Amino acid sequence: MKEELKMPKLRPEMEKGNLCAWLKEPGEAFKKGEPLFEIETEKVVNQVEADRDGVMGRQLVDEGDEVTVGAPIAEVE
C-alpha cells in the first residue's frame, strides 16, 4: 500500500525546508531508523530517518527544492 512521505517539522518555528539530498533511490528498501533524506534549515543539515520499514517509491520533489512543512515529498510502500 502506497503512503505519502511528508516534509517533517523539525522545530516549532519551521515553516519550510530545503530538501538537499535523497539518501534512498526509488525501489530501494529501507529499515526503521535508516536515513531517507537530508533537510537544510537555516544553515543546519538534518538527516531524517524512517519511522518504519518500507520501500522508497516515486520522489515528488527534487534535491534543492524548498518544501513547505507537511507537503508530500515522496511515496513509500
Side-chain angles (χ1 to χ4, degrees):
M1 179 174 166
K2 291 184 183 178
E3 294 183 25
E4 289 183 335
L5 181 62
K6 298 185 180 192
M7 175 63 97
K9 186 171 195 161
L10 303 177
R11 293 187 332 269
E13 66 278 1
M14 182 178 167
E15 295 179 11
K16 297 180 184 177
N18 181 28
L19 194 143
C20 53
W22 284 108
L23 304 176
K24 298 293 179 188
E25 296 295 323
E28 190 173 352
F30 56 85
K31 299 277 186 198
K32 180 179 179 175
E34 286 187 66
L36 299 178
F37 56 95
E38 294 179 344
I39 298 172
E40 181 178 9
T41 59
E42 297 180 21
K43 308 290 182 193
V44 177
V45 176
N46 296 287
Q47 286 189 343
V48 178
E49 297 177 350
D51 61 357
R52 64 187 177 282
D53 295 354
V55 176
M56 181 63 71
R58 186 169 58 110
Q59 295 169 341
L60 306 174
V61 299
D62 294 323
E63 291 180 350
D65 286 353
E66 185 175 69
V67 184
T68 302
V69 168
I73 60 171
E75 295 174 346
V76 293
E77 298 178 29

